[in-house]
Amino acid sequence: MLNKSIALQICSHNGLEPLALCASAAESAILPAMQAAATQPPAFHLMTKPRGAICNLDCKYCYFLSKERLYPGSDFRMSDNLLEEYIRQYIAAQSVDEINFAWQGGEPTLMGVEFFRQAVRYQQKHKRPGMRIRNALQTNAVTLDDEWCGFFAENDFLIGVSLDGPQDVHDYYRVDKGGQPTFQRVMAGIDLLERHKAEFNILTTVHAANEGHGLRVYEFLRDEVGAQYMQFIPIVERDNETGYQEGDKVTDRSVSAEGYGRFLIDMYEEWVRRDVGRVYVQIFDIALAAWTGAPPGLCIFDETCGLALALEHNGDVYSCDHFVEPDYKLGNIMDIPLDQIVVMDQQRDFGLAKRETLPQYCLDCEVKFVCNGGCPKNRFITTPDGEPGLNYLCAGYRAFFNHVGPSMNFMARELAERRPPANVMLQMARYDTELERAFASAGRNDPCPCGSGKKFKRCHGRRGK
Ligand code: SF4
Ligand code: SF4
């Protein structure tokens, strides 16, 4: 749980499990023990899709809309009977005192608020004495009204809102079924959440339309939206007919590896100077965890995965939200109890493969301790020496993690000395002052003091820089 404790020290993050790519921080500690012993994990994560892939929007990059094809003729509604059985099994299968329910889609609010009132009733009915239940729900926020937001606030739901940045970049891909922009409606939904004092965070996808705007997106979310908790998910969308994780081509909408790295670096440069301790950015916190020697605490950056499964509207369980495909279906909870599904050999092998299939290029990498090769769904390119299985985002990850290394080292040392990592902002201010002095005295043909390796006249000495 060290990652969470670091998050608390940095910014009093309230512990929302990341909704799109998630596994709890506990997974890092739990999974190796579970794999060694092939026994029941104390906790696991299940992303539940009560309305399946059904959504009121038609975001052009959505990886999940095509999953509708898996269930021809379905009404895509989790039945009341299944809802109770799922809640009963999910609670019974875990031996920890806090159980996190994660609702996603498609658009989960299309189930209607009464479905969630019933879910809360079932949670109360089946929880053990002293047990704490938390709910997190990911939404496009378009359907939110006073009733929804009041319900979320009363029942302590943590809401993840999908918002890709200022209007021009958000509306580029996030449109409704009629192709109409959604930005104004999303902002109205956020306004309602704020008025009802419902907790929310922002999930931003990074794609071809916003990858060049890292700083602008970050400043917008911080200053205009008032978001304190943000996560940035790269869109890596395979270009094929199946909608499965197949082939090595990506769509034009996908972020480029270098673009993703640049996006993160541009945000980080602002964050590390002004916002440490008051704005939580998931990947920055994960990096700091790794720099302190703790497991990164998010499945995509952990050595192994496999404890973040997905539950479809009809009770089918899949290995992961990103692998809702026939080959990764583990069973249906009405036939096989969840506690047995989670320890199936197929699932164990799925989780271990993340580590076992890592190419030598990653094993030799200087930032492997924090990256661990990234999510297997994106490992479809070859290494420079021709070995398959390298992550499409490698160049971006490598640039970002190397870039943040010095300041992460500083923050990790502060933590080790029981001082606030926010002290890094003073350090950065000193560094900036020294750099300004060095710029002022640099000759046009001198190496640029910023360390880029370019001549000053071609770097910070250029007019306007
Ligand atoms: S494949 Fe593994 S690492 Fe990737 S999102 Fe799924 S559980 Fe996480
Ligand atoms: S940065 Fe690239 S080479 Fe290094 S571990 Fe990550 S994916 Fe592998």
Side-chain angles (χ1 to χ4, degrees):
M1 301 297 274
L2 186 52
N3 190 15
K4 279 190 182 168
S5 69
I6 287 169
L8 287 168
Q9 288 175 67
I10 293 176
C11 66
S12 302
H13 176 49
N14 55 8
L16 170 67
E17 299 300 334
L19 290 172
L21 291 172
C22 57
S24 69
E27 178 177 338
S28 306
I30 292 165
L31 189 56
M34 166 203 164
Q35 285 159 342
T39 53
Q40 200 65 35
F44 59 93
H45 192 93
L46 192 62
M47 191 177 288
T48 303
K49 297 157 180 297
R51 199 77 170 86
I54 301 301
C55 191
N56 49 339
L57 301 191
D58 204 7
C59 301
K60 293 175 185 166
Y61 52 62
C62 182
Y63 66 96
F64 215 79
L65 294 177
S66 63
K67 306 300 178 192
E68 195 176 336
R69 295 200 295 259
L70 288 172
Y71 297 100
S74 170
D75 65 353
F76 294 99
R77 294 189 74 87
M78 182 175 277
S79 68
D80 184 65
N81 183 34
L82 178 62
L83 173 66
E84 179 165 17
E85 186 57 17
Y86 148 56
I87 288 171
R88 189 191 67 74
Q89 287 191 27
Y90 189 52
I91 291 173
Q94 309 200 51
S95 54
V96 290
D97 290 336
E98 181 172 308
I99 305 282
N100 295 291
F101 285 82
W103 307 95
Q104 223 214 28
E107 173 55 40
T109 61
L110 296 183
M111 290 301 290
V113 72
E114 185 49 37
F115 174 86
F116 290 95
R117 288 192 207 284
Q118 186 70 318
V120 170
R121 284 194 283 268
Y122 287 143
Q123 289 168 349
Q124 294 306 313
K125 176 178 170 185
H126 291 290
K127 76 173 190 179
R128 295 187 289 275
M131 181 174 262
R132 184 161 183 242
I133 302 277
R134 290 185 59 96
N135 286 279
L137 183 145
Q138 184 67 33
T139 177
N140 56 44
V142 165
T143 56
L144 299 188
D145 58 14
D146 284 319
E147 186 182 15
W148 271 116
C149 295
F151 169 78
F152 292 148
E154 280 161 29
N155 292 281
D156 206 18
F157 271 50
L158 193 43
I159 305 304
V161 176
S162 302
L163 175 66
D164 282 358
Q167 183 156 14
D168 57 324
V169 288
H170 175 89
D171 283 339
Y172 207 88
Y173 296 130
R174 296 195 68 84
V175 294
D176 66 16
K177 297 287 187 202
Q180 295 304 305
T182 59
F183 177 83
Q184 298 294 357
R185 284 175 276 170
V186 176
M187 293 302 284
I190 290 172
D191 189 47
L192 275 174
L193 286 167
E194 283 174 337
R195 272 197 269 147
H196 284 268
K197 298 190 170 28
E199 274 188 277
F200 72 95
N201 72 5
I202 298 292
L203 187 155
T204 297
T205 59
V206 187
H207 43 64
N210 66 4
E211 69 172 48
H213 303 277
L215 179 59
R216 188 160 75 95
V217 168
Y218 177 76
E219 288 179 334
F220 169 78
L221 297 178
R222 181 192 63 191
D223 302 337
E224 308 285 320
V225 179
Q228 276 184 288
Y229 310 110
M230 313 173 191
Q231 53 180 312
F232 296 89
I233 308 298
I235 292 292
V236 180
E237 185 191 20
R238 301 283 184 98
D239 194 0
N240 61 34
E241 293 299 310
T242 61
Y244 300 158
Q245 307 293 358
E246 297 171 342
D248 60 1
K249 294 194 171 38
V250 298
T251 63
D252 292 345
R253 296 181 284 261
S254 299
V255 69
S256 68
E258 294 76 10
Y260 186 54
R262 190 72 248 162
F263 185 97
L264 296 176
I265 289 169
D266 287 351
M267 290 194 308
Y268 185 83
E269 286 295 294
E270 173 72 3
W271 178 83
V272 76
R273 284 172 171 78
R274 290 187 178 78
D275 297 329
V276 181
R278 69 185 190 103
V279 177
Y280 168 83
V281 179
Q282 185 189 51
I283 192 168
F284 301 166
D285 205 43
I286 285 164
L288 184 51
W291 253 270
T292 65
L298 180 72
C299 60
I300 64 171
F301 296 120
D302 279 331
E303 276 198 318
T304 55
C305 66
L307 287 180
L309 300 86
L311 176 72
E312 263 290 352
H313 65 288
N314 68 342
D316 286 349
V317 178
Y318 293 85
S319 290
C320 161
D321 173 49
H322 288 286
F323 287 91
V324 175
E325 305 178 8
D327 286 351
Y328 296 91
K329 184 174 152 184
L330 299 165
N332 188 293
I333 64 167
M334 300 309 265
D335 304 324
I336 311 171
L338 205 41
D339 60 351
Q340 290 180 29
I341 289 178
V342 76
V343 294
M344 281 178 159
D345 287 351
Q346 180 182 345
Q347 185 61 5
R348 187 201 56 204
D349 293 348
F350 175 86
L352 288 175
K354 185 175 192 293
R355 182 180 64 204
E356 308 307 330
T357 60
L358 215 51
Q360 191 61 39
Y361 188 71
C362 290
L363 296 174
D364 296 338
C365 172
E366 70 284 355
V367 294
K368 191 236 165 219
F369 73 99
V370 54
C371 177
N372 280 311
C375 176
K377 94 173 179 68
N378 294 334
R379 293 184 188 173
F380 55 85
I381 64 170
T382 51
T383 64
D385 47 4
E387 191 179 355
L390 183 64
N391 198 303
Y392 166 86
L393 294 168
C394 172
Y397 284 147
R398 203 162 190 166
F400 170 69
F401 288 130
N402 274 306
H403 182 88
V404 303
S407 45
M408 285 290 166
N409 267 326
F410 180 89
M411 286 190 277
R413 277 198 304 272
E414 293 299 282
L415 278 169
E417 298 293 332
R418 301 189 171 275
R419 291 192 293 263
N423 286 348
V424 73
M425 293 187 288
L426 284 172
Q427 185 75 359
M428 293 306 295
R430 279 188 214 114
Y431 168 80
D432 288 346
T433 306
E434 280 166 24
L435 203 57
E436 282 305 320
R437 280 199 202 110
F439 287 154
S441 60
R444 281 170 49 75
N445 289 312
D446 290 345
C448 187
C450 77
S452 66
K454 296 179 193 165
K455 285 187 175 175
F456 181 56
K457 68 183 179 188
R458 304 210 183 286
C459 190
H460 283 85
R462 275 190 309 193
R463 188 190 293 268
K465 287 214 92 177

